[in-house]
Structure formats: C-alpha cells, structure tokens
Amino acid sequence: MTLSTDILQEKLTHPFQYFDSVDSTNDIAKQWLQDGAQSGSVVIGNEQRKGRGRKGRTWYTPPDVALAISVILKPPKQYISRINIIGALSVYDLAEHVGCQNIGIKWPNDVQINERKVSGILPEAVWDGDKLLGIVLGMGINVRNDFSDTEIADIATTLESESGTSLNRADLIAYLMQRIDMWYERIPADALFITWKNRLNMLGQQVKIDKLEGLAVGVESDGALLVQDKDKQMQRVLAGDVFVIHKSGNK
Ligand code: BTN
C-alpha cells in the first residue's frame, strides 16, 4: 500500500509532513525546525531524489519500497550524542517487532540483520549561533528494496526479506515513532547506553577504522568507540566506518 497523508493521519499522533517525492526529508525537517516545529514533529518521504548519507554519500530511497523519515528532537545539549543511539535502538526494536532475527548494531548506528545493513541514520544538529535549536534524526530503512544488480547487493538487506512477511509502511512508521518516544524519554538513563552497548555487534573483534586497526574493546557514554591498537594504546574514535577484519569468537 502506498503512503499518504490520510493514512498517516490515522496512525500518527505526532505533527507530520508527508511528501510523495522530496529531495531530502532531513532538509525539510531542518527548515521546519528553524520555523519553530515542536519536538517530536516528523517529516516522511515516499521517495527521496537527493537523499543524503553519512560522509557526503548518496542515500537511495526509491518510491514505495523504503522509509525515509526525519524526526525533530530538542534534547538538552549534553545529550546530543545520544540521538544517534536512540535512532539505532528504535530501528533495532522495529526489526525485532516484525520478526527479524540476528539483528545487531554496527557502531555507531547502522542496524544490520544477518550482518547486512537494513538502515542508515543521519542525525544533524541545527544551531542558532551557539544555541542548539534541535536535532533532526534522519532514518532510512529498507523495507522491500530490490538490491539485485546493485553494488550493495551483498551488504544490504530489507525488513521484508529478513522477516519473510509483507509489511505495511504506515504501521512501521507508527511503531518506530512509539519506540523513538520511549527511548527519548529515557535519554539520560544508563539503560539507554547499556542496551545500545549490548546490541553492538563488533565489540571484542579486530576492527579497522580508516587507518586504525585494533581490538574494539568498548564504548564510552558519549558514544565513542575504544580501540586498543597494536601498540596496546587505547584510541578513542568518535566517527568512522568500522570493518570487522576477523572474528575472534568471543564477544
Ligand atoms: C548512512 O549513510 O548510513 C545514513 C543514511 C541516512 C538516510 C536518511 S533517509 C531520511 C533522511 N534524509 C536524508 O537525506 N538522509 C536521511
């Protein structure tokens, strides 16, 4: 079933804007935030023409097969880094809810199923000088994309293929928003950080992040990854793409 404003109206209690086709839901949400949107407002796109990923990459959202969602949140400044975590936990919950198994979070925020990426998260802060207006939590979730004949065929997956069920995207959005609300209420709580840490799928593994290679030994409460390098020095990593270079068996 295709998405529409009417269908979403029935399912969502949050203020929202829906677009059949949009350049990037994050851009619309950033503008809405500047125009005074309340926390919890959400922008939803059925298709993105210029979806943005991390590190300036393109994020593809073809029509009718995926979710492109940007949620406006207004956390206290000290919890900015936790928005990433809220996004990853909420998508993880959604995957579990629809019956997927072997779900994990690849640091910091990629949700994977059977080690393939099902979603990407792009939080963007909006400032007025040094005043934080809010964060736009952008989430792209693959629902029934066809990745065959694409360069990401081996590393991407979808909720439908992993759950073996046919899914209604409006219901997925409604459930996702419930989970975001739930985790956002717990933003200062240890449980948020501990749940995220427990769901990370590469702690205890040898990893490579840009030029750094070493053992991923843990995470800190601001989300930083701790990697012990070959000289046994502890390196704190705040951003980057992690690759597991070989699995050591223990976790
Ligand atoms: C990644 O590179 O893994 C992050 C991808 C984030 C994509 C989402 S889709 C909704 C929102 N709008 C965008 O332009 N990007 C984010």
Side-chain angles (χ1 to χ4, degrees), residues 24-26 48 51-54 59 69 117 120-122 139-140:
S24 159
T25 53
N26 264 27
Q48 286 188 124
R52 291 185 285 106
R54 292 195 298 129
W59 181 266
I69 300 177
K117 177 162 168 161
I121 290 171
L122 182 67
M139 288 171 290

Side-chain angles (χ1 to χ4, degrees), residues 80 94 129 184 213:
I80 291 182
L94 176 69
Y184 188 62
E213 274 190 36

